[in-house]
Structure formats: structure tokens, C-alpha cells
Amino acid sequence: MASEDTNTTGAGPDSGNNTGGGAPARRGITVRRAPKFVPFMVLGAVVGIIIAAFVAYGLPVNPSFDAGTVFGFFLVAFAAGGVILGALVALILDRLSIRRAQHAVVEAVPDSVPDTDGEDDGGR
């Protein structure tokens, strides 16, 4: 994931870097690998469901409760806990990725051939 810094290099009025056909503008960006939160939360929910199934069907049962009822109760509790723990793991990994971020300078490159159809179909 790349995030753009607010400071640009050589973008002053006397620097010669303008968009009117002079030298291309240079811009500093920060590049880092950030985790996607949803897969971590889904994985946490799946682990919570597996633990709920083990607790409901793998441990000795109480005769006053049906195993399906116990599974449903623990399913809600452990799946919600798994989602929260998965989000916390993703948040920790996101904070660690900030430490490993790299800074780069990029230049805008004008198109050599302008688009004629107005839509980008991704090469299809």
C-alpha cells in the first residue's frame, strides 16, 4: 500500500517543475505492506467456530442441555471473540508495517499515446 506524503520536492514556483509541459513533478511517497483486516477477522471467526464445536461436542455433555443449544451459545461467544482477536492481530501487524515503511520519490510520466475511447478496459 502506498500513501502520499504532503511534501513535494521541487514544487515551488521557481523550481521549474510545473504541469504545463516542463519537467515532470516529483513527489515523495511512503510504501509499506499493510495487512487487510477482513481476512484476519474471518480467520478469527472460523477458529472461534471450531473451538465452539469442540467445546459443545467434544467435552462431556450436561443432560439438561441439548448439544445443539450449547453449540449455538458458544458459537456466538467464541466467534465474536475470534473476530476481535483477529482484528487485534491485524492491527498489531499494521503497526509493525509502519516501522518497515520505505520512502520513495516518484515522477509523473505523461502518456505517450492518448486514450481515444475514454474508458480503460484493462487491456481486454
Side-chain angles (χ1 to χ4, degrees):
M1 181 171 127
S3 62
E4 187 176 321
D5 288 340
T6 56
N7 52 353
T8 58
T9 56
D14 297 328
S15 66
N17 286 347
N18 56 9
T19 58
R26 298 174 66 109
R27 191 174 294 193
I29 62 167
T30 301
V31 180
R32 67 184 181 103
R33 293 181 55 143
K36 295 183 180 180
F37 279 64
V38 173
F40 281 91
M41 292 173 17
V42 169
L43 181 64
V46 168
V47 170
I49 291 169
I50 292 171
I51 293 172
F54 174 75
V55 168
Y57 297 111
L59 297 179
V61 293
N62 187 346
S64 62
F65 296 111
D66 181 35
T69 305
V70 173
F71 176 68
F73 176 76
F74 284 120
L75 175 74
V76 171
F78 288 143
V83 168
I84 291 171
L85 287 177
L88 286 175
V89 168
L91 186 63
I92 290 169
L93 291 176
D94 185 47
R95 295 300 176 224
L96 290 176
S97 73
I98 291 173
R99 292 182 190 168
R100 296 180 183 169
Q102 297 178 351
H103 299 285
V105 177
V106 295
E107 284 184 3
V109 178
D111 289 340
S112 58
V113 178
D115 292 335
T116 57
D117 59 351
E119 290 187 23
D120 185 18
D121 61 348
R124 289 183 255 162

